[in-house]
């Protein structure tokens, strides 16, 4: 139940952030909903494809589709209010990233993936929706920029695997991994941390 609730929260948060990007790109209501839904469900779809789950659970679950679509519509009609909450949206996006990293790793473990594969699948689930969002709005994916985003996702999913392997239980692993990944992302935003880039040649 905790896994299901956390996944729905992550879907809602990612849908809001994706739809807000669609609004800033001045897309119509259909475009905003498409960006919001793909941002919310993209990571889960990629996760299920990697795990051989067909069809992906995100596409066959009305709560997942309804939550992402409803949140996208809400952002479209209330975008003036939501737009003023840019900082809060970034924090929520960090929470969504942490949620998807943790839930992705746990689902991978439950389907028999190795610890290393579970770490990578969890990280991929966390960043997959954001990559689809950026591609849809013709932006360079955040993953390829000097932004501290993928690293917290990978570390969070790795922590989930470590805690689970120690026998602490799935719920504990979910909470620990989510809090760690989300907090590290928020700290990176606050301190303007980023990965080093290449030196500029003379």
């Amino acid at each position: 139940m905790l896994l299901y609730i956390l996944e729905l929260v992550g879907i809602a948060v990612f849908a809001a952030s994706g739809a807000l990007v669609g609004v800033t790109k001045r897309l119509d209501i259909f475009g905003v909903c498409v960006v919001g839904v793909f941002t919310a469900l993209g990571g889960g779809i990629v996760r299920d494809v990697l795990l051989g789950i067909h069809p992906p659970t995100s596409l066959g679950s009305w709560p997942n589709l309804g939550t992402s679509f409803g949140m996208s519509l809400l952002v479209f009609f209330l975008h003036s209010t939501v737009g003023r909450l840019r900082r809060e949206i970034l924090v929520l996006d960090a929470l969504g990233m942490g949620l998807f990293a943790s839930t992705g790793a746990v689902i991978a473990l439950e389907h028999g993936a190795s610890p290393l594969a579970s770490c990578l699948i969890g990280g991929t689930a966390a960043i997959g929706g954001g990559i689809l969002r950026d591609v849809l709005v013709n932006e360079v994916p955040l993953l390829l920029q000097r932004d501290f985003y993928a690293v917290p996702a990978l570390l969070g999913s790795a922590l989930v695997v470590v805690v689970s392997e120690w026998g602490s239980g799935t719920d504990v692993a979910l909470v620990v991994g989510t809090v760690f990944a989300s907090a590290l992302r928020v700290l990176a935003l606050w301190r303007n941390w980023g990965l080093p880039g290449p030196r500029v040649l003379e």
Side-chain angles (χ1 to χ4, degrees):
M1 179 59 68
L2 179 61
L3 179 65
Y4 180 71
I5 292 173
L6 289 178
E7 190 163 14
L8 279 182
V9 172
I11 286 172
V13 169
F14 270 157
S17 65
L20 190 60
V21 171
V23 169
T24 60
K25 293 293 183 178
R26 304 189 65 81
L27 303 181
D28 61 15
I29 186 171
F30 180 77
V32 169
C33 289
V34 166
V35 174
V37 169
F38 270 87
T39 304
L41 303 183
I45 292 172
V46 173
R47 176 200 67 210
D48 290 349
V49 168
L50 292 174
L51 291 172
I53 302 173
H54 302 294
T57 54
S58 296
L59 297 180
S61 172
W62 282 109
N64 290 357
L65 286 169
T67 299
S68 58
F69 184 71
M71 184 60 70
S72 299
L73 283 177
L74 188 66
V75 170
F76 179 82
F77 288 109
L78 301 177
H79 63 83
S80 58
T81 301
V82 176
R84 290 194 292 268
L85 303 175
R86 194 72 180 182
R87 186 175 301 174
E88 288 79 1
I89 290 294
L90 286 174
V91 174
L92 288 175
D93 184 76
L95 175 61
M97 178 273 293
L99 288 168
F100 267 73
S102 298
T103 57
V106 167
I107 291 173
L109 287 172
E110 291 179 347
H111 281 80
S114 68
L116 177 59
S118 298
C119 294
L120 296 176
I121 290 172
T124 302
I127 64 178
I131 292 176
L132 287 176
R133 175 198 63 208
D134 294 338
V135 170
L136 286 172
V137 298
N138 199 29
E139 292 280 352
V140 177
L142 194 65
L143 175 66
L144 302 180
Q145 302 181 44
R146 294 180 60 186
D147 196 82
F148 206 66
Y149 195 86
V151 173
L154 289 170
L155 292 177
S157 60
L159 186 58
V160 168
V161 171
V162 170
V163 173
S164 296
E165 291 296 305
W166 280 350
S168 298
T170 299
D171 290 350
V172 174
L174 281 170
V175 172
V176 171
T178 300
V179 170
F180 178 82
S182 301
L184 185 57
R185 170 61 178 163
V186 170
L187 184 61
L189 288 170
W190 177 46
R191 303 294 297 178
N192 290 320
W193 288 348
L195 297 175
R199 292 183 178 180
V200 178
L201 298 177
E202 295 293 339

